[in-house]
Amino acid sequence: MPAVKPPDPSAATGQPVRHGAVLLVTCLALATVVAAMASLNVALPDLGRETRASQTQLSWIIDAYSLVFAALLLPAGAIGDRFGRRRALLAGLAIFGGGSGLAALTTDPTTLVALRGVLGIGAALVMPATLSTITSTFPRAERTRAVSVWAAVAGASAVVGLLASGTLLELWSWRSVFLLNVLLALAALVGTLLFVPESAESDAPRVDVAGAMLVAAGLAALVYSVIEAPTRGWGDPATLGGLGLGLAVLAGFVAWELRQRHPLLDPRLFRNRRFAAGSISITLQFFAFFGYIFVVMQYLQLVRGDNALVAAVSVLPMAVAMVPVSRLSPALTARFGARRPWIAGLLLIAAALAVLAALDGDSPYGLVVAGLLPLGAGMGLAMTPATTAVTDALPRALQNVGSATNDLSRELGGALGIAVLGSILSATYRSHLDLPGVPAHLADQARSSLAAASGAGGAVAEQARTAFVDGMQLALLGGAAATVLAALVVALLLRRSGPPADAGRDGAGAAATRATVVRMPERVDS
């Protein structure tokens, strides 16, 4: 099936499109929602002290955003393609900004969790609309450069978000993080109104509402059960029942999608070994990465005693290593093939997390750097071949599916990583915090979170820091195990791959891809 030629936006509006302004506005919108995934991590100690949130509630405050973002990403992209990407941008930015404004006014952890979920709805509308706007607006000669800028912004925004939050927390409280969201969303919304043309696909299929509901319900049941497990117990019937229910609903989603003419994501695509390897690798990489961010930001501030800005700056060595290695990765792939640099990058991530798992309350900053440098290098080395494997495994008519799968893998991995590694941290912290002779109300407060225990001071705070370090070490080892698993999956799936340029288009994988072309919606991107 030939690719559909994107419509000319200027023909519909009668006004010439200012491509530079469109790129600036869409990248600002993208940076706003991507930075929000990481930026609040810096504020967790301050937020925990002021709202008295438990360790489990802190996990929910961070993960509610990522969970809703991931669950709605595919249907939100389809909505933008069908009804207009500019409309999706405007609606998403309004929801994101409005939710952030309300979040800055609350002090209740449960309300904050709900509002972070609202922000996730807005982000799910914004992110796919940004790239779809670029690919449908820019002429072919300029599109590659514009997409590369979009990708760079997507990669750098998490680190920029950490630094911006750290700076704001030196001047004010955690509320400033949400107020920054409001300002950025407002600026992007005004820019969208002024410069971004409308674009939509007139022949886009109807949105698979039932599939969207199934995947959202399945992910919600899984993540809820994992996050609540430290409180209820892993063997509790509610925990086991929730995990079983989530897996059953996701299995139902797969069965439903196999029967649809226009599915959100056709499971048959995963017959292509390179597509499957790339998707699994990205999911597990970001499982480890966002779980690490959630854990380490609390360690730097509550155990080492760094302020928010110093904590944010402390992780910069990771970016310093990631940027040059990511630029070197294509050359290494061209020389050695995708498999070896890809696996080497994943193993570097695992080794880095193992080094960081050796940290304790007295560790020098040099040991932190010794973990951050290989972590950044590994992420830079593994991300390029993983992303390329997803997109190159598919023909031109299905490039929108590759982009959507790449985004979904990243957000889903982040949501699950925060849930699972945060749950390991919380469970270990509770079980290792032994406070004999401490009044019951004070012991309960200390077990709720390290931030609460730090407020008690003295021996309680010291024992809490030790228990937190124990939990952090296990959580980081869990992240290392996930990336080793990713390396094994990539090694097995690509063990008989041909040359990099053709590996995704031969044999059974290509046959499965060709068979799927007729079933996928013709969308520029989602």
Side-chain angles (χ1 to χ4, degrees):
M1 180 180 293
V4 175
K5 182 180 179 180
D8 182 3
S10 62
T13 62
Q15 300 293 329
V17 176
R18 297 175 60 179
H19 293 108
V22 170
L23 183 61
L24 176 63
V25 171
T26 52
C27 285
L28 175 60
L30 173 70
T32 299
V33 300
V34 172
M37 289 194 68
S39 60
L40 198 61
N41 284 278
V42 186
L44 284 179
D46 188 22
L47 192 153
R49 283 188 290 263
E50 184 169 336
T51 66
R52 299 183 181 274
S54 68
Q55 198 69 44
T56 297
Q57 287 174 318
L58 291 176
S59 294
W60 268 119
I61 289 169
I62 296 298
D63 215 18
Y65 179 78
S66 300
L67 173 61
V68 175
F69 196 168
L72 298 183
L73 191 59
L74 290 177
I79 288 171
D81 287 345
R82 182 176 175 84
F83 299 106
R85 291 143 188 151
R86 184 173 184 266
R87 292 188 184 97
L89 267 176
L90 292 173
L93 289 167
I95 294 170
F96 184 91
S100 295
L102 292 174
L105 301 176
T106 187
T107 57
D108 177 59
T110 303
T111 304
L112 199 52
V113 170
L115 289 171
R116 282 278 289 176
V118 171
L119 267 65
I121 297 173
L125 286 166
V126 168
M127 187 173 186
T130 57
L131 186 55
S132 293
T133 296
I134 290 172
T135 56
S136 62
T137 301
F138 277 71
R140 184 174 300 277
E142 300 178 27
R143 199 175 302 156
T144 300
R145 181 188 65 83
V147 170
S148 69
V149 172
W150 182 94
V153 171
S157 295
V159 174
V160 173
L162 290 174
L163 291 173
S165 297
T167 303
L168 288 172
L169 288 167
E170 288 300 293
L171 304 174
W172 197 26
S173 74
W174 58 269
R175 302 173 193 279
S176 60
V177 178
F178 288 105
L179 293 178
L180 177 62
N181 287 347
V182 174
L183 294 176
L184 292 174
L186 181 60
L189 193 148
V190 171
T192 301
L193 287 170
L194 293 176
F195 302 114
V196 176
E198 185 58 277
S199 62
E201 301 302 308
S202 58
D203 59 346
R206 296 181 63 181
V207 179
D208 180 11
V209 176
M213 293 176 65
L214 283 171
V215 72
L219 290 176
L222 275 180
V223 172
Y224 177 84
S225 301
V226 170
I227 290 180
E228 293 295 324
T231 303
R232 295 179 178 271
W234 283 98
D236 186 85
T239 300
L240 297 176
L243 292 172
L245 176 63
L247 292 173
V249 172
L250 291 177
F253 166 75
V254 172
W256 173 265
E257 294 297 285
L258 287 171
R259 296 170 54 194
Q260 302 307 300
R261 182 178 181 186
H262 299 296
L264 286 174
L265 179 63
D266 195 326
R268 296 175 186 86
L269 288 172
F270 290 91
R271 295 174 182 170
N272 185 303
R273 289 181 291 115
R274 292 182 64 80
F275 184 88
S279 302
I280 294 170
S281 178
I282 292 169
T283 300
L284 292 177
Q285 282 174 244
F286 280 93
F287 174 98
F289 179 75
F290 279 105
Y292 142 80
I293 290 290
F294 176 74
V295 170
V296 166
M297 280 297 142
Q298 295 180 74
Y299 164 79
L300 291 172
Q301 295 179 74
L302 295 175
V303 177
R304 287 181 58 86
D306 297 337
N307 62 39
L309 181 57
V310 170
V313 172
S314 294
V315 300
L316 279 182
M318 177 183 65
V320 170
M322 186 187 302
V323 173
V325 173
S326 63
R327 298 188 66 176
L328 181 63
S329 181
L332 293 174
T333 298
R335 180 171 181 179
F336 300 107
R339 187 172 182 265
R340 281 187 281 179
W342 190 348
I343 294 172
L346 291 169
L347 294 178
L348 266 178
I349 296 171
L353 292 174
V355 170
L356 292 171
L359 293 170
D360 58 30
D362 299 319
S363 297
Y365 178 64
L367 185 58
V368 178
V369 174
L372 292 176
L373 289 175
L375 178 61
M379 289 292 291
L381 196 58
M383 273 305 302
T384 298
T387 302
T388 302
V390 171
T391 56
D392 283 3
L394 303 178
R396 188 178 303 276
L398 290 181
Q399 285 305 296
N400 62 300
V401 181
S403 174
T405 305
N406 182 71
D407 292 343
L408 176 62
S409 299
R410 179 174 57 244
E411 309 309 330
L412 178 60
L416 293 176
I418 294 167
V420 174
L421 300 188
S423 184
I424 292 173
L425 167 64
S426 182
T428 307
Y429 173 76
R430 288 169 179 267
S431 64
H432 286 211
L433 185 56
D434 186 20
L435 298 172
V438 175
H441 73 280
L442 186 58
D444 289 342
Q445 177 183 335
R447 288 191 183 95
S448 68
S449 72
L450 178 56
S454 299
V460 172
E462 185 60 34
Q463 291 185 52
R465 282 192 285 270
T466 300
F468 182 91
V469 167
D470 292 342
M472 179 191 73
Q473 291 172 345
L474 283 178
L476 292 177
L477 288 175
T483 49
V484 170
L485 176 61
L488 290 173
V489 168
V490 171
L492 289 173
L493 288 176
L494 302 189
R495 64 189 183 279
R496 291 189 300 273
S497 289
D502 302 320
R505 292 183 170 85
D506 57 3
T513 300
R514 287 193 297 271
T516 308
V517 172
V518 297
R519 299 183 180 93
M520 299 304 298
E522 296 270 11
R523 283 159 38 199
V524 174
D525 187 68
S526 62

